[in-house]
Amino acid sequence: MSVGTPRGLASSGQKPITEIPHPLSAAEESLSPGPDVSISSGGDKDLELTNGTLVENSSPASASSTSTSALLSRLQVEDNFEADAADLYATTETRDLFVTVDDPKKHVSTMETYITYRVSTKTTRIEFDLPEYSVRRRYQDFDWLRVKLEETQPTNLIPPLPEKFVMKGVVDRFSEEFVETRMKALDKFLKRVADHPVLSFNPHLNAFLTAKDLNKRQGLALLTKMGESVKHVAGGYKLRARPPEFNAMGEYLDTFSQKLGTIDRIAQRILREQSEYLTELREYASVYSSWAGSEEELQRPLEGVAGCVTTCCGALEDLSENMSQDFLPVLREYVLYTETMKNVLRKRDQSQAEYEGRLEAAVLRKQEDRTPMPLEVEKCQDKMECFNADLKADWERWQCNKRQDFKQLLIGMADKNINYYEKCQTAWESLVTVLQDKQTEDKTRKRPTRQQISTAELCSCSPVGQIEGGV
Amino acid sequence: MMAENGKDEAAASDGESADGTSSSLTVERDSNLLRRMEICVAEAEKRSGKNAIGMQETFTVYLIETRPADAAAEGRAQPPDSVWRRYSEFELLRAYLILTYPFFVAPPLPEKRAEFVWHKLSADNMDPDFVERRRIGLENFLLRVASHPGLSNDKILYRFLTEEPCWKEAVYETGFQDKADSRLRAFGATFRVRSPQKCFIDMKQYSEELQSHTSQLLRARARVADRVYAVYKVHGNYGRVFSEWSGVEKVMGDGLQSAGHHMDSYAASIDEILEEEEHYADQLKEYLCYAEALRAVCRKHELTQFELETASQDLITKKQQRDELATGMVRTFSFKGVTNKLFGQEAPEQREARLTMLDELIAEAEDSVRVKTAEREEHVQKAWADILRFKEEKDKDLREALLSYAAMQINMCKKGIQVWSNTRESFLKM
């Protein structure tokens, strides 16, 4: 069930942090190879990483000319995902921040019950005091981080979080599946932030990853001094004309989110139909079974068919469950992501509107009193141009990630279906073998011919009670 | 499957009829019609005509072609004889065979009306798929009858296959309808028979179970078909949405577009898959019908047994009456006894007359018992032999049916893997 695992980072998986070698520590020593990495026979020149299965070139931190990147570039990349030629960050950055979300635990207190997750960090950045961190965070904390990022980086696209509220009674907040799904989404969120060239340096992220006890109020007091918060202008200025490139983005997002919604509906409908299909299949299997009970020669074949149908039931159940757990959540997350993107576009529009508004006012004033262009207008222009640049960069990254994510998602869907049919085919093929064996067995077996059956032997039983009468 | 080749059936039955001679079974050599003649139901056609009450109706007729077996063997290109028959004539033939040979398990006809229909399947008798499947079913019927050691020699059957006009009149002339047992009598026999053979009772029980299981299975299969149809068709929606989506994508467009096409073909593939499955359903329906026929044979045994018991009882009673009359000892109740008591004994001449009459009645009763015994014996022998034959045929046919069903499922899986692999390839290109 690793379809949803973001491929941006080597995941430390479920092992405790102390056991996992630092991905970059391979530069120092030669490591014993992991299960899916091959060793070249060159000694310690050709060092491989143990858990480097999926280092994706589409993320900002990939091959560059340093020794680390040379190392990374020798990693065995999974065949399915070719290097992305349109990768923008290929030559500029090294990945030096790795985060993972895992190990969910339930906390019960008098006031409430909630789940916390372990957030593990490994880094070489100087912004961090230590090379490794391990803290526990709950959903609220992730939400805090997201809000802070949106506030402090309004021109950037902040990745989405899974839904905050779940209807009690409808979804079990503490069921394994729910927690698992949510955890994967949180992991993805954090990895996207950590991958982002700007967001990953945000001090709030730092606090989130490192503070033992994330005291939000304290963090807030400390960090409001740092950095400049670009205030979000709420209304007041009307945008006249959106540049065509951003228009295109807007239109694309509208269509895209619409299609996503449709795909979600289709997937859900399929799950419903499959559930009904499963119900009928089970009944179908039981009819074969009960028929087998009244047959002699046919008992084994009928039981065989019942068994086959039951196996297919199991395979169908697996398919539905996998789709429900892996496919739907990722789809929904992209709906959220799209909404977030739309919001950023709107903010950009407002920044442009503000600039144009102020500019117009200043021009009018200039015409009247010959004063130079006020500073605010220049600042606004800067802001807007910054916003535009950031947005364009984020857009490209988003498109790239979206392509990879959907490729993975859809291939996963195809794989699940192929797997389902393979299981069923195997079951039926083995039944055919059994049935055919029986056939050849019967043909060679010697059977008593009719002439050996006399009237007396026709019925080996005698009638109950004799008939009297002078016959 | 019996539909494929009449000759194969002949070859298969050869072995059986060769072993079938025995002193206790009245089976003649070369009784198998199919050895002497090729039979097939070649075509179906629509006709219009006036029915029994003068109304215009449309119906389907089926072409029966026959050819002497040795002609084909010798390579003589002889055109076949042909007869057109409609379904109701087949029904008439079967009814005749059932009444004339009540100890044989009558081979089944395809269903009169489409039953156990899953929602997309047409319940219309004029639907070409239905007609085609009926054609196969009718051919199976003829092949089974013509290879049955007991039935295949029947003259009416022969005329059905070779002679178009006047066949119906000939059937009615046999007076076969008179042999029909009164429903009430047959029903009563089941409860009142005292000593039927246990094996027939058990077999009757089995036939009821077979009927129940096959009909349950047919119903469940139809429901499953409905559901799987829905699952496949909903996937067609993916086709549309992928296509629409591909319109706004630059890089991903081609991959999405072709994936959409594959989803469309996935959705379309279920129609053919389910149509093929109807053949399996037809095989099950044959045995649903066969189970009914088997039950009828067992009930006929109950009836012949019951009639024998009744006749024997009647004989006993009459003999007792005669004894009493002769000896003067009244043991049984009779009105004569009562009136004798009340009004005095009758005159010796009257007594003589009554004795004579009773003797005649006793002779008749003895005849009746002989006849009934013979009937019962004939039925028991022939029916049980045929039941054994039926059992073998059923085991073989149903196992083949299950095998072909499994093959259909494997085919369905292979197609599914193919489509999804193609889809996956498309996704890879995204």
Side-chain angles (χ1 to χ4, degrees):
Chain A
M1 293 231 271
S2 61
V3 175
T5 313
R7 305 161 354 238
L9 294 168
S11 168
S12 60
Q14 298 291 330
K15 291 189 250 174
I17 261 198
T18 45
E19 269 183 39
I20 303 162
H22 195 293
L24 300 177
S25 64
E28 256 81 69
E29 57 201 298
S30 62
L31 297 166
S32 52
D36 41 5
V37 175
S38 59
I39 304 197
S40 34
S41 53
D44 50 6
K45 280 287 180 196
D46 294 1
L47 294 170
E48 313 281 2
L49 292 183
T50 50
N51 48 356
T53 37
L54 302 160
V55 176
E56 271 330 298
N57 297 338
S58 64
S59 310
S62 59
S64 77
S65 52
T66 65
S67 63
T68 314
S69 53
L71 197 77
L72 291 171
S73 68
R74 277 203 213 95
L75 282 173
Q76 186 172 349
V77 179
E78 201 175 335
D79 334 280
N80 300 333
F81 308 111
E82 302 117 15
D84 197 306
D87 180 37
L88 298 168
Y89 301 90
T91 52
T92 52
E93 288 176 57
T94 321
R95 189 161 336 117
D96 52 5
L97 175 64
F98 296 84
V99 297
T100 308
V101 178
D102 60 7
D103 190 33
K105 277 199 168 57
K106 199 192 265 191
H107 291 256
V108 183
S109 72
T110 42
M111 290 285 286
E112 52 176 351
T113 309
Y114 57 90
I115 308 263
T116 63
Y117 307 87
R118 179 179 62 191
V119 176
S120 320
T121 311
K122 279 199 217 285
T123 180
T124 54
R125 290 189 184 175
I126 47 163
E127 288 83 2
F128 292 84
D129 294 332
L130 302 171
E132 283 182 27
Y133 291 93
S134 178
V135 295
R136 293 212 74 94
R137 298 282 180 253
R138 55 186 290 190
Y139 181 91
Q140 271 180 16
D141 304 330
F142 284 83
D143 199 35
W144 170 87
L145 176 62
R146 186 189 57 82
V147 167
K148 284 291 153 213
L149 289 175
E150 277 182 3
E151 280 174 11
T152 54
Q153 318 261 190
T155 62
N156 285 116
L157 174 63
I158 315 295
L161 270 184
E163 277 118 11
K164 187 171 197 160
F165 299 110
V166 283
M167 289 208 289
K168 286 190 191 172
V170 176
V171 178
D172 177 11
R173 289 182 302 139
F174 302 109
S175 77
E176 243 185 79
E177 288 115 31
F178 179 78
V179 171
E180 174 93 19
T181 306
R182 192 176 243 203
M183 189 183 78
K184 282 191 200 158
L186 293 174
D187 182 76
K188 203 165 206 179
F189 164 78
L190 207 56
K191 283 181 157 83
R192 279 178 174 149
V193 173
D195 279 356
H196 195 283
V198 176
L199 292 179
S200 62
F201 287 94
N202 189 290
H204 291 92
L205 176 67
N206 195 313
F208 177 87
L209 292 176
T210 61
K212 269 297 159 217
D213 183 6
L214 192 67
N215 188 327
K216 302 177 187 89
R217 253 180 246 126
Q218 187 180 34
L220 187 69
L222 223 83
L223 294 167
T224 39
K225 292 181 201 164
M226 300 155 69
E228 207 177 40
S229 41
V230 179
K231 283 225 187 79
H232 172 79
V233 178
Y237 295 96
K238 251 204 141 170
L239 181 69
R240 246 162 273 158
R242 215 191 220 176
E245 55 211 330
F246 297 114
N247 232 1
M249 283 183 197
E251 278 171 14
Y252 172 83
L253 285 174
D254 282 336
T255 311
F256 182 63
S257 63
Q258 198 191 62
K259 296 310 156 202
L260 281 186
T262 307
I263 294 176
D264 182 83
R265 273 194 302 281
I266 296 172
Q268 283 194 65
R269 173 83 189 274
I270 289 177
L271 282 175
R272 274 199 301 276
E273 297 290 350
Q274 277 175 345
S275 160
E276 310 253 1
Y277 177 34
L278 186 63
T279 310
E280 297 298 349
L281 263 186
R282 286 203 223 273
E283 173 66 28
Y284 188 52
S286 76
V287 173
Y288 277 108
S289 246
S290 75
W291 184 3
S294 71
E295 292 287 341
E296 298 157 4
E297 287 287 311
L298 289 174
Q299 184 179 30
R300 252 183 91 207
L302 287 169
E303 286 288 3
V305 175
C308 257
V309 175
T310 307
T311 305
C312 293
C313 285
L316 182 62
E317 230 179 340
D318 287 342
L319 172 64
S320 297
E321 204 179 291
N322 286 345
M323 285 298 284
S324 173
Q325 285 207 274
D326 293 344
F327 188 81
L328 286 181
V330 176
L331 205 59
R332 288 195 188 127
E333 188 195 295
Y334 256 90
V335 172
L336 291 173
Y337 219 159
T338 313
E339 283 311 306
T340 315
M341 198 49 151
K342 284 189 198 171
N343 280 334
V344 175
L345 253 183
R346 260 176 242 132
K347 281 194 238 163
R348 187 223 72 86
D349 285 346
Q350 298 211 311
S351 156
Q352 180 181 337
E354 190 189 344
Y355 165 66
E356 284 173 353
R358 285 187 197 269
L359 180 65
E360 212 180 286
V363 166
L364 280 169
R365 249 180 281 132
K366 195 175 183 191
Q367 282 171 347
E368 287 161 21
D369 0 340
R370 302 203 165 271
T371 51
M373 194 67 70
L375 205 59
E376 301 113 55
V377 178
E378 280 181 22
K379 272 193 189 165
C380 256
Q381 186 180 19
D382 281 342
K383 230 194 313 176
M384 181 196 76
E385 282 168 1
C386 212
F387 214 140
N388 288 351
D390 277 349
L391 184 53
K392 279 195 207 160
D394 271 351
W395 176 261
E396 290 307 319
R397 297 187 75 254
W398 185 82
Q399 283 288 3
C400 231
N401 283 342
K402 174 210 76 183
R403 180 175 163 222
Q404 295 295 6
D405 285 342
F406 272 92
K407 211 163 141 169
Q408 187 180 30
L409 185 71
L410 292 170
I411 289 175
M413 172 170 89
D415 280 338
K416 293 193 227 289
N417 277 279
I418 291 172
N419 192 245
Y420 159 72
Y421 279 114
E422 281 175 346
K423 282 189 210 161
C424 293
Q425 185 176 338
T426 309
W428 287 106
E429 278 174 344
S430 62
L431 177 70
V432 165
T433 318
V434 166
L435 289 180
Q436 280 177 335
D437 281 345
K438 197 89 200 337
Q439 262 193 333
T440 43
E441 186 190 305
D442 282 347
K443 280 194 181 132
T444 53
R445 209 167 26 126
K446 210 167 178 281
R447 288 237 244 45
T449 51
R450 287 251 191 79
Q451 55 204 54
Q452 294 166 6
I453 304 169
S454 67
T455 321
E457 287 165 357
L458 275 179
C459 282
S460 52
C461 49
S462 49
V464 177
Q466 294 297 321
I467 301 170
E468 294 176 357
V471 181
Chain B
M1 259 299 272
M2 292 188 127
E4 302 319 319
N5 188 347
K7 279 194 122 171
D8 280 350
E9 192 52 43
S13 326
D14 264 1
E16 293 191 325
S17 56
D19 293 346
T21 52
S22 121
S23 49
S24 54
L25 299 176
T26 51
V27 173
E28 303 151 41
R29 279 198 192 278
D30 275 351
S31 63
N32 192 326
L33 182 61
L34 213 53
R35 294 183 69 195
R36 294 178 279 128
M37 164 190 246
E38 270 179 38
I39 304 173
C40 77
V41 177
E43 283 165 40
E45 243 180 48
K46 277 214 195 106
R47 295 269 172 89
S48 284
K50 289 227 186 317
N51 69 3
I53 50 173
M55 283 179 62
Q56 196 71 13
E57 61 168 2
T58 317
F59 53 88
T60 313
V61 285
Y62 300 85
L63 180 65
I64 304 177
E65 284 183 348
T66 52
R67 191 184 357 223
D70 43 17
E74 290 172 25
R76 272 188 272 146
Q78 189 172 336
D81 293 325
S82 58
V83 172
W84 290 96
R85 296 270 179 227
R86 55 184 292 192
Y87 183 82
S88 55
E89 292 175 277
F90 280 86
E91 278 186 303
L92 181 56
L93 173 64
R94 186 166 187 267
Y96 160 79
L97 290 173
I98 288 176
L99 288 177
T100 313
Y101 306 92
F103 30 77
F104 290 150
V105 183
L109 275 179
E111 53 188 357
K112 196 173 175 71
R113 258 168 293 278
E115 276 184 64
F116 304 109
V117 171
W118 57 280
H119 89 273
K120 195 235 168 192
L121 201 63
S122 165
D124 171 24
N125 282 10
M126 288 303 190
D127 178 71
D129 287 325
F130 181 81
V131 168
E132 171 59 18
R133 292 202 325 272
R134 186 177 257 195
R135 184 195 66 75
I136 292 171
L138 292 175
E139 191 175 275
N140 283 353
F141 169 72
L142 290 180
L143 293 173
R144 280 186 169 123
V145 171
S147 62
H148 191 287
L151 295 173
S152 60
N153 264 352
D154 189 275
K155 290 287 168 286
I156 294 288
L157 169 69
Y158 188 78
R159 291 173 73 172
F160 178 86
L161 294 170
T162 55
E163 197 180 291
E164 194 151 342
C166 310
W167 174 78
K168 259 197 178 166
E169 287 82 352
V171 181
Y172 287 121
E173 263 169 43
T174 62
F176 74 95
Q177 294 130 306
D178 302 337
K179 297 188 193 151
D181 302 314
S182 109
R183 279 262 180 86
L184 203 57
R185 195 156 174 72
F187 187 67
T190 306
F191 298 103
R192 292 155 66 192
V193 65
R194 269 185 276 144
S195 339
Q197 301 241 7
K198 184 171 186 304
C199 47
F200 279 98
I201 297 301
D202 290 344
M203 191 52 63
K204 188 173 91 150
Q205 170 76 18
Y206 170 76
S207 77
E208 284 162 4
E209 284 170 13
L210 184 63
Q211 252 183 306
S212 154
H213 288 128
T214 44
S215 66
Q216 268 178 28
L217 192 58
L218 283 162
R219 218 169 292 124
R221 191 210 72 90
R223 283 201 294 265
V224 167
D226 254 337
R227 294 298 167 198
V228 79
Y229 181 80
V231 170
Y232 271 72
K233 288 299 177 192
V234 176
H235 278 84
N237 292 317
Y238 275 144
R240 198 175 39 220
V241 76
F242 285 161
S243 193
E244 289 168 4
W245 181 10
S246 73
V248 296
E249 294 288 346
K250 286 170 237 146
V251 188
M252 289 168 41
D254 286 340
L256 274 177
Q257 178 88 315
S258 78
H261 289 150
H262 292 307
M263 285 291 95
D264 281 334
S265 77
Y266 179 70
S269 68
I270 191 66
D271 293 283
E272 201 188 304
I273 289 168
L274 286 178
E275 256 162 43
E276 223 197 310
E277 245 188 57
E278 280 308 309
H279 291 292
Y280 175 65
D282 284 341
Q283 286 171 293
L284 293 176
K285 285 173 193 173
E286 279 183 351
Y287 275 90
L288 180 60
C289 182
Y290 242 147
E292 173 77 57
L294 177 63
R295 183 163 175 270
V297 169
C298 295
R299 291 189 70 201
K300 183 72 179 175
H301 166 73
E302 286 174 337
L303 187 59
T304 57
Q305 175 70 15
F306 176 65
E307 289 183 344
L308 175 58
E309 286 170 8
T310 310
S312 305
Q313 189 55 48
D314 185 55
L315 177 62
I316 292 169
T317 311
K318 291 201 163 59
K319 279 191 171 172
Q320 273 178 337
Q321 281 180 337
R322 192 200 178 280
D323 282 345
E324 281 163 16
L325 197 55
T327 60
M329 285 175 61
V330 182
R331 259 170 297 163
T332 59
F333 175 80
S334 73
F335 277 119
K336 210 59 194 152
V338 171
T339 52
N340 280 348
K341 278 248 156 84
L342 291 175
F343 305 113
Q345 287 266 2
E346 57 195 339
E349 305 86 34
Q350 281 176 313
R351 218 164 127 254
E352 262 328 298
R354 281 211 304 125
L355 267 172
T356 317
M357 191 184 72
L358 266 177
D359 279 333
E360 280 172 26
L361 287 175
I362 286 172
E364 274 174 26
E366 277 171 347
D367 268 342
S368 176
V369 169
R370 262 190 293 272
V371 166
K372 292 295 175 198
T373 307
E375 270 176 24
R376 175 196 171 274
E377 274 310 302
E378 184 196 28
H379 188 271
V380 163
Q381 283 184 32
K382 289 185 174 173
W384 197 251
D386 203 48
I387 284 173
L388 292 179
R389 182 204 62 80
F390 163 77
K391 259 179 88 171
E392 267 181 45
E393 186 180 322
K394 170 203 74 158
D395 287 339
K396 176 168 159 283
D397 283 348
L398 286 176
R399 181 178 301 131
E400 269 173 39
L402 292 176
L403 250 176
S404 85
Y405 181 71
M408 284 179 212
Q409 297 306 299
I410 290 170
N411 198 27
M412 179 168 159
C413 291
K414 284 187 174 161
K415 278 187 187 168
I417 292 173
Q418 183 66 56
V419 170
W420 279 105
S421 299
N422 291 342
T423 313
R424 190 183 193 277
E425 285 303 308
S426 303
F427 288 144
L428 268 175
K429 291 196 216 124
M430 262 165 58

